[in-house]
């Protein structure tokens, strides 16, 4: 007889270095982003020394847009990628539809406030939703983009399957995420910096050390470049590849739904 108290490994995942159930991770991640939302943008600049702006710029530069495209900015949070896509389409004089979808209300609310400040509230739609269970019809979007979000989702397999479902045939998937530096001495320097400095900075700026401890641990636990590419292929994407930025500290994975 099976032990009713044994943990079902198939429903376990990681919250940083801790092993937790999918449901627990979802709640813990939501607490993290509810807590960091007011200082999220400032912390991004401080932690990455402004580099996140260049990574996001490279990411959006890789995305080709056409008139009437429907773009899902999954885990879009405070809106950096949505804003960059909006500006890119505007420069091309292309009318596109952008939806910023995120699990955490306070991240989206900060994004809406930023959009109001920029005078572009009508250009972006918002959905407070989980990447694992999307409330969108099959084949709705021409692009599914996710920036620094996939690492936080309890089941990547579910999120990738949903990404494929909501993409139109020929639709493009793009993921920007922390990855693994391919020069080991530099990787060690980064790890020293990340584990010593980032949680302390989180404590000082956001009064929240634990959330930034989670951040650095979650980066360590995220799959290597080749392994994530394999997961994309297993989810049914074609033409999968990736591009390293900053020696692999960050990578852009992409694929197509054929
Ligand atoms: C590090 S932030 C990234 C925000 C934004 N994309 C950026 O690049 O600045 C991660 C975001 O993922 C969201 N998130 C975490 N788990 C999620 C899930 N299961 N479904 C949807 N969004 C999720 C969080 O609420 C948070 O806004």
């Amino acid at each position: 007889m099976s032990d009713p108290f044994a943990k079902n490994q198939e429903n376990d995942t990681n919250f940083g270095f801790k092993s937790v159930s999918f449901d627990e991770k979802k709640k813990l991640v939501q607490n993290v982003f509810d807590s960091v939302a007011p200082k999220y943008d400032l912390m991004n600049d401080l932690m990455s020394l402004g580099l996140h702006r260049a990574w996001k710029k490279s990411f959006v530069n890789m995305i080709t847009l056409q008139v009437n495209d429907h773009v899902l900015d999954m885990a879009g949070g405070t809106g950096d990628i949505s804003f960059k896509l909006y500006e890119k389409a505007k420069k091309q004089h292309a009318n596109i539809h952008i939806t910023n979808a995120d699990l955490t209300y306070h991240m989206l609310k900060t994004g809406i406030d930023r959009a109001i400040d920029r005078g572009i509230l009508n250009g972006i739609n918002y959905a407070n939703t989980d990447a694992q269970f999307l409330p969108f019809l099959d084949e709705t979007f021409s692009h599914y983009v996710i920036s620094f979000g996939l690492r936080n989702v309890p089941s990547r397999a579910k999120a990738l399957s949903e990404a494929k479902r909501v993409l139109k045939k020929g639709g493009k998937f793009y993921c920007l995420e922390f990855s693994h530096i391919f020069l080991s001495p530099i990787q060690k320097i980064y790890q020293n910096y990340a584990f010593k400095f980032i949680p302390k900075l989180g404590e000082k700026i956001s009064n929240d050390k634990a959330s930034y401890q989670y951040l650095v641990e979650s980066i360590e636990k995220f799959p290597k470049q080749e392994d994530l590419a394999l997961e994309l292929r297993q989810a049914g994407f074609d033409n999968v590849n990736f591009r390293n930025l900053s020696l692999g500290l960050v990578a852009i994975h992409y694929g197509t739904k054929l």
Side-chain angles (χ1 to χ4, degrees):
M1 206 175 103
S2 66
D3 176 3
F5 298 106
K7 279 204 163 189
N8 177 355
Q9 294 301 318
E10 283 186 6
N11 288 322
D12 274 4
T13 181
N14 296 301
F15 177 75
F17 291 162
K18 289 186 211 81
S19 181
V20 296
S21 71
F22 286 170
D23 286 348
E24 279 173 292
K25 173 158 178 171
K26 181 170 163 175
K27 284 190 204 116
L28 289 166
V29 164
Q30 217 165 7
N31 290 343
V32 163
F33 287 101
D34 266 330
S35 159
V36 304
K39 294 279 168 63
Y40 173 81
D41 296 304
L42 172 65
M43 273 299 287
N44 269 352
D45 276 333
L46 295 177
M47 281 184 311
S48 73
L49 310 172
L51 269 176
H52 79 106
R53 291 169 186 261
W55 296 329
K56 286 171 177 167
K57 191 172 171 200
S58 301
F59 184 57
V60 171
N61 281 346
M62 280 181 73
I63 301 169
T64 310
L65 296 173
Q66 283 174 351
V67 177
N68 276 332
D69 275 345
H70 285 243
V71 184
L72 179 60
D73 178 13
M74 192 66 241
T78 59
D80 275 356
I81 299 299
S82 289
F83 298 147
K84 283 188 168 21
L85 289 166
Y86 178 90
E87 294 302 334
K88 179 173 175 143
K90 202 167 130 190
K91 272 192 199 138
Q92 289 177 213
H93 304 289
N95 182 36
I96 66 162
H97 309 272
I98 302 169
T99 302
N100 175 352
D102 198 284
L103 180 69
T104 309
Y105 171 79
H106 286 111
M107 290 292 281
L108 275 184
K109 175 72 174 61
T110 307
I112 293 169
D113 292 343
R114 290 176 80 202
I116 292 170
D117 289 345
R118 289 164 183 240
I120 55 172
L121 187 59
N122 288 334
I124 300 166
N125 298 312
Y126 293 88
N128 192 191
T129 189
D130 183 345
Q132 302 169 109
F133 311 98
L134 293 178
F136 305 116
L137 295 175
D138 296 359
E139 304 193 0
T140 301
F141 297 97
S142 55
H143 300 71
Y144 177 109
V145 306
I146 182 162
S147 157
F148 299 113
L150 196 55
R151 187 171 28 91
N152 300 294
V153 177
S155 167
R156 279 192 301 281
K158 274 193 189 143
L160 294 177
S161 149
E162 280 293 82
K164 186 160 177 248
R165 180 183 68 75
V166 300
L167 273 172
K168 294 177 183 179
K169 288 198 176 70
K172 303 285 184 195
F173 172 95
Y174 293 92
C175 171
L176 173 67
E177 190 50 272
F178 285 107
S179 201
H180 298 273
I181 295 175
F182 45 77
L183 295 176
S184 58
I186 312 261
Q187 170 78 351
K188 295 235 157 61
I189 293 169
Y190 155 74
Q191 282 169 330
N192 262 331
Y193 158 79
F195 279 89
K196 280 200 187 131
F197 181 65
I198 290 179
K200 280 192 190 140
L201 190 67
E203 188 171 28
K204 223 178 167 102
I205 303 292
S206 302
N207 201 17
D208 183 355
K209 190 174 181 183
S211 291
Y212 286 92
Q213 182 68 30
Y214 159 71
L215 169 77
V216 290
E217 291 181 5
S218 67
I219 293 171
E220 289 296 306
K221 296 300 282 185
F222 197 67
K224 295 221 161 85
Q225 286 82 334
E226 290 76 11
D227 296 332
L228 183 59
L230 183 63
E231 288 188 23
L232 288 181
R233 288 186 196 105
Q234 283 167 344
F237 287 100
D238 284 278
N239 304 326
V240 172
N241 213 333
F242 64 86
R243 183 182 151 195
N244 285 313
L245 303 176
S246 303
L247 301 176
L249 173 57
V250 163
I252 297 171
H253 282 73
Y254 50 93
T256 307
K257 170 175 169 176
L258 292 183

